[in-house]
Amino acid sequence: MIYTFYKYQGTGNDFVMIDNRHLMFDKNNTKAIKKLCDRRFGIGADGLILLENHDTLDFKMVYYNSDGNESSMCGNGGRCIVAFANLLGIIKKVTQFMAIDGKHDGVMEADLVKLQMQDVPQINIFDTHVFLNTGSPHHVQLTTDLKNIDIKKTGSKIRYGEPYNELGTNVNFVVKNSETNFSVRTYERGVEDETLSCGTGVTAVALAMHAIGETKKNLISLETEGGELQVSFEKNDFKYQNIWLIGPATQVFKGEIEC
């Protein structure tokens, strides 16, 4: 079958987008999803995102990692699908849509897309790292030499190690630049490699750094390999809420592919 696709990227985190409102795409075809995301034999992307109809909200987001499996929430993907829905004329500047982790609000402001993330009621603080779920599970740890870390080797060891094992986790390595600015590199499960940016990852980093006292600010800039993102939030008692992921989302190209 021939599919029309759109390629989007948010700070280097790239996605194949397909308008699946007529449910023409075979979501059980893992092989086809992997091929679309393959950087040598397909279009090339960190994941595939399908935009589908929803009964009460503007649309539904269905996300697959590049390994072909449906995944937990993708923050940059969520921002990109807001821009995609705007391109399709489904929304204008403001939207509400459904993702695997629940309802999300999105706002388009000039070149930026703001995505409201789910509340985070629990952050687990350990001696060497922090663990929390921002729609996807994230291991966060500070380092002093972000540039020279072998992210794939070190990240995969943590991702498959105790206590994560088969369930796995995403792994974020962080350097503090100032109270409002942190640099981040992320190993993503499902991609099984470093990605240039991870939306749920930088969200996790911002909240983790606040939780362990590395910052007292509630608007944090995160420098990723693919560019800068911002995360704003509020803390009430032990709960983080009103969390927004902010950054660019850009269409790269449009095409057709047989798959």
Side-chain angles (χ1 to χ4, degrees):
M1 185 170 180
I2 297 176
Y3 295 103
T4 299
F5 70 87
Y6 299 76
K7 179 75 175 284
Y8 273 77
Q9 65 87 13
T11 53
N13 203 186
D14 58 343
F15 309 96
V16 174
M17 297 276 187
I18 293 179
D19 179 358
N20 196 40
R21 284 177 289 174
H22 297 296
L23 302 178
M24 299 296 291
F25 189 86
D26 182 2
K27 293 188 284 188
N28 295 316
N29 192 341
T30 302
K31 184 177 180 181
I33 296 170
K34 291 176 69 174
K35 178 183 176 183
L36 290 171
C37 295
D38 193 287
R39 298 191 184 278
R40 292 177 176 83
F41 300 102
I43 302 163
D46 292 325
L48 167 71
I49 299 178
L50 303 178
L51 184 149
E52 298 183 351
N53 289 318
H54 189 272
D55 290 340
T56 59
L57 303 178
D58 292 324
F59 59 89
K60 178 182 177 182
M61 169 184 172
V62 184
Y63 175 64
Y64 298 86
N65 276 326
S66 58
D67 63 2
N69 295 311
E70 189 172 1
S71 181
S72 48
M73 181 57 186
C74 176
N76 284 329
R79 293 191 308 99
C80 284
I81 201 171
V82 171
F84 183 41
N86 174 263
L87 176 77
L88 295 176
I90 298 170
I91 68 165
K92 292 185 178 179
K93 290 187 176 181
V94 178
T95 184
Q96 287 190 331
F97 68 94
M98 184 63 66
I100 193 168
D101 64 337
K103 184 175 71 172
H104 288 266
D105 288 348
V107 180
M108 297 195 66
E109 292 185 352
D111 295 332
L112 299 179
V113 178
K114 300 173 63 176
L115 179 71
Q116 187 169 29
M117 308 296 283
Q118 301 297 337
D119 293 348
V120 177
Q122 182 177 356
I123 296 181
N124 300 300
I125 301 173
F126 302 92
D127 291 338
T128 58
H129 66 280
V130 178
F131 180 79
L132 65 161
N133 193 308
T134 53
S136 290
H138 282 276
H139 172 109
V140 177
Q141 68 179 57
L142 283 161
T143 184
T144 56
D145 188 11
L146 191 62
K147 182 178 179 180
N148 294 312
I149 294 177
D150 186 332
I151 298 294
K152 186 172 183 178
K153 180 179 179 181
T154 308
S156 64
K157 188 177 294 185
I158 295 171
R159 181 256 199 268
Y160 288 107
E162 293 285 349
Y164 308 119
N165 298 323
E166 291 182 8
L167 178 62
T169 185
N170 301 283
V171 185
N172 304 272
F173 301 94
V174 188
V175 162
K176 180 178 180 178
N177 303 317
S178 71
E179 192 172 6
T180 59
N181 186 276
F182 296 81
S183 293
V184 185
R185 294 178 67 185
T186 302
Y187 177 96
E188 280 201 51
R189 64 174 189 172
V191 179
E192 305 309 335
D193 204 344
E194 180 177 12
T195 54
L196 293 180
S197 174
C198 175
T200 56
V202 298
T203 302
V205 169
L207 301 186
M209 293 302 100
H210 188 272
I212 64 176
E214 291 294 331
T215 181
K216 294 181 180 179
K217 304 298 184 180
N218 63 356
L219 176 61
I220 309 298
S221 294
L222 295 308
E223 306 289 343
T224 74
E225 295 294 289
E228 181 181 297
L229 291 162
Q230 291 185 308
V231 176
S232 66
F233 54 86
E234 296 174 359
K235 185 180 180 184
N236 292 312
D237 297 323
F238 298 102
K239 183 178 183 180
Y240 286 88
Q241 58 190 33
N242 198 25
I243 304 165
W244 289 86
L245 173 65
I246 306 161
T250 306
Q251 182 186 338
V252 182
F253 58 86
K254 173 186 175 182
E256 292 183 340
I257 190 169
E258 186 172 1
C259 194

